[in-house]
Amino acid sequence: MSYSSFARTNVAHFGLLLIAAVILASCTTNRTDTPTAQAAPEPLTQSKAAEQCWMETGHGAKSLPLDKRSKVVDQCVKDKMSGAK
């Protein structure tokens, strides 16, 4: 291997590394085109309240029959929708 081919190989490798560095440097992890304020929370819907209540009662009321458990969930949904909880 002659010196000139060795130098060309090194230049080629350096060029590829330089291109990769430029590409990676152009990537950004924080976007500046999005607003910094948090989005407003979604309003509570009947189905979302039912889902939350079902999950909340799932841990403590697993031994209850489904009809009784559904009554507990229904009461929870009424409380959530009225703002009592």
Side-chain angles (χ1 to χ4, degrees):
M1 182 185 247
S2 69
Y3 180 74
S4 62
S5 65
F6 181 72
R8 276 186 263 159
T9 305
N10 281 342
V11 170
H13 288 290
F14 179 74
L16 289 175
L17 286 174
L18 184 63
I19 291 170
V22 169
I23 290 172
L24 288 175
S26 67
C27 296
T28 174
T29 57
N30 54 354
R31 296 182 54 158
T32 57
D33 60 341
T34 57
T36 57
Q38 293 285 337
E42 293 181 22
L44 186 63
T45 62
Q46 185 85 12
S47 62
K48 192 69 171 172
E51 178 184 330
Q52 290 173 359
C53 288
W54 190 262
M55 295 303 288
E56 289 171 7
T57 59
H59 300 293
K62 281 187 178 181
S63 61
L64 288 176
L66 284 178
D67 58 335
K68 290 185 180 181
R69 188 172 171 189
S70 67
K71 288 180 183 178
V72 172
V73 170
D74 288 340
Q75 185 60 45
C76 175
V77 170
K78 286 179 187 174
D79 292 344
K80 277 191 182 281
M81 294 307 289
S82 68
K85 274 192 172 180

